[in-house]
Amino acid sequence: MSVGKDKSVKPGAMRLALLIGSTREGRFADKVVRWAKDGIGRHPAFDLDVIDPRGFALPAHFPSGVHEGLEKIQRRLELADAILVVTPEYNHSFPAALKQVIDVTGEAWQAKPAAFISYGGVSGGLRAVEQLRLVLAELHTVTLRKVVSFMNAWELFDEQEGLLEPLRAERSLKQQLDQLSWWARVLRLGRAQWPYLSVS
Ligand SMILES: Cc1cc2nc3c(=O)[nH]c(=O)nc-3n(C[C@H](O)[C@H](O)[C@H](O)COP(=O)(O)O)c2cc1C
């Protein structure tokens, strides 16, 4: 499902970067991402590029110069027409590793749409999403109203079977991707016609 840098597996498709928010050992994120990949695979609008920050040896400190891994993430985000963040909730917010990626790759988010799939306990990760909206507003990102959220996520997914009752979430993801593709198309045209840098 994931595409290489320039390959398109669906005719006319735009590029969707799915950014994994958790780098935690034993993370739950992989179950949610596996489910999301299936749904995105069925959607005609997007080719998928899964960006897992774990694979880029994130630095312990905020780099003062070039960091190879973060530069690679930046390039992948730059190529994206839309970004889908899959995030858990940590202490009513989102993981520090995700903040590090966002802080260093800021320009790649400019005048692009971003959507969220969240998971956690009783709040379903929605407090992490609200915090992300504040941060991404600073980067001139258009965040979608619609969130796909999993409350008490560990009760909803099975190791082998995946999401146990998928219908409602699949419908929700489809609607989110429809809306994301609308914004992605409009903003891609907009960026090409009127470079956003001239007003940012
Ligand atoms: C440091 C930490 C803080 C957490 N804080 C919250 C919280 O505020 N609200 C919540 O619903 N769940 C909270 N959780 C539970 C996580 O949402 C849950 O463990 C989730 O599976 C974490 O995602 P991950 O396994 O992909 O890293 C917290 C988990 C951790 C590790």
Side-chain angles (χ1 to χ4, degrees), residues 22 24 26-29 88-93 119-125 127 154:
S22 171
R24 199 174 67 82
R27 67 187 177 190
F28 191 83
E89 180 169 312
Y90 288 178
N91 295 321
H92 293 204
S93 185
Y119 56 97
V122 283
S123 76
R127 290 174 293 212
W154 40 91

